[in-house]
Amino acid sequence: AQSVAQPEDQVNVAEGNPLTVKCTYSVSGNPYLFWYVQYPNRGLQFLLKYITGDNLVKGSYGFEAEFNKSQTSFHLKKPSALVSDSALYFCAVRSSHSGGYNKLIFGAGTRLAVHP
Amino acid sequence: DTGVSQDPRHKITKRGQNVTFRCDPISEHNRLYWYRQTLGQGPEFLTYFQNEAQLEKSRLLSDRFSAERPKGSFSTLEIQRTEQGDSAMYLCASSLVSGEGNQPQHFGDGTRLSIL
């Protein structure tokens, strides 16, 4: 069965410091991995994806994520956090297998709080 | 704004009533998805369409739930005889089929359903 774990309910970081939001996954076949951000009373905004190729992928708003196959992880990172990055972050996975596996499986989310 | 549009944004109704939500996807997107998100959780997959065909349904989609996409454009999600447990945010997403289907899903702002 496919699953995503985001081990931290909340991450606190000071503005200007680097941030990491953790994600591990379990999927049959090769994983397609995604990060989304959600602001209050809004839908999810796509940040970045890993499909294949370089393990370090860059996305919107200065975010990047590192795919680690041996550790089945896909941690989200940013070198210098902004107060405006404070939001709820979701990691999601889908299998590369065809035949109907088009749904995304989401983690429970990690709330990022960036303090001035 | 050419993103995914959902209507209404909020719906308050009494237990036992029927409700219908509408989703207008990004115009060139041929895949459309419905998810449900409860407080403190990530979105859970309900169903998805490719053009007008409903290709996958989650076990979460009880017989009180029905979704349609009659002309392969907008979609509706109907809940009959609503129950307290139906209170949630209902999210719609759309994507474009490309290669192995690894294009990201783009989400609307959701319909928040509250059952009194």
Side-chain angles (χ1 to χ4, degrees):
Chain A
Q2 300 174 87
S3 65
V4 175
Q6 294 183 242
E8 303 153 316
D9 290 338
Q10 179 153 332
V11 170
N12 297 297
V13 64
E15 188 175 28
N17 283 2
L19 69 88
T20 299
V21 182
K22 296 179 180 178
C23 170
T24 59
Y25 66 89
S26 174
V27 67
S28 57
N30 293 320
Y32 294 159
L33 294 155
F34 303 83
W35 275 101
Y36 286 85
V37 60
Q38 187 176 35
Y39 294 96
N41 298 313
R42 301 297 301 274
L44 279 68
Q45 294 180 30
F46 169 72
L47 281 179
L48 51 78
K49 66 179 180 181
Y50 171 82
I51 303 300
T52 187
D54 288 342
N55 290 342
L56 186 66
V57 294
K58 295 187 183 297
S60 306
Y61 313 117
F63 284 93
E64 56 190 29
E66 186 168 12
F67 171 64
N68 187 317
K69 187 172 183 178
S70 63
Q71 296 185 3
T72 61
S73 68
F74 189 56
H75 300 331
L76 181 70
K77 300 182 180 184
K78 187 173 182 180
S80 178
L82 300 172
V83 172
S84 58
D85 293 331
S86 300
L88 194 53
Y89 290 80
F90 291 98
C91 180
V93 68
R94 60 154 287 196
S95 170
S96 61
H97 287 173
S98 61
Y101 291 95
N102 290 288
K103 58 180 178 282
L104 291 176
I105 304 299
F106 285 88
T110 298
R111 186 165 300 282
L112 174 66
V114 182
H115 305 284
Chain B
D1 185 9
T2 57
V4 177
S5 177
Q6 291 189 246
D7 183 70
R9 290 294 313 279
H10 304 275
K11 179 71 177 177
I12 301 173
T13 192
K14 293 182 179 178
R15 186 165 51 108
Q17 297 296 304
N18 299 342
V19 294
T20 299
F21 311 141
R22 176 178 170 124
C23 171
D24 287 90
I26 295 171
S27 60
E28 65 268 25
H29 286 185
N30 49 6
R31 282 188 178 164
L32 186 147
Y33 309 79
W34 285 99
Y35 291 83
R36 182 172 70 187
Q37 184 180 21
T38 52
L39 203 60
Q41 298 297 319
E44 296 174 293
F45 170 81
L46 293 177
T47 188
Y48 104 95
F49 294 83
Q50 182 157 319
N51 300 314
E52 66 274 11
Q54 188 174 19
L55 297 185
E56 189 173 353
K57 293 169 61 173
S58 163
R59 292 174 202 159
L60 293 175
L61 215 65
S62 76
D63 56 5
R64 294 186 298 106
F65 288 69
S66 62
E68 295 182 343
R69 194 183 183 197
K71 297 183 179 179
S73 56
F74 73 91
S75 175
T76 58
L77 177 68
E78 181 183 15
I79 309 174
Q80 296 182 328
R81 306 181 303 281
T82 52
E83 300 174 356
Q84 291 280 355
D86 296 333
S87 295
M89 174 82 89
Y90 290 84
L91 294 166
C92 177
S94 68
S95 70
L96 184 64
V97 175
S98 173
E100 295 183 2
N102 54 30
Q103 295 302 312
Q105 295 176 24
H106 295 269
F107 285 78
D109 283 339
T111 294
R112 183 170 295 284
L113 175 64
S114 298
I115 307 298
L116 301 177

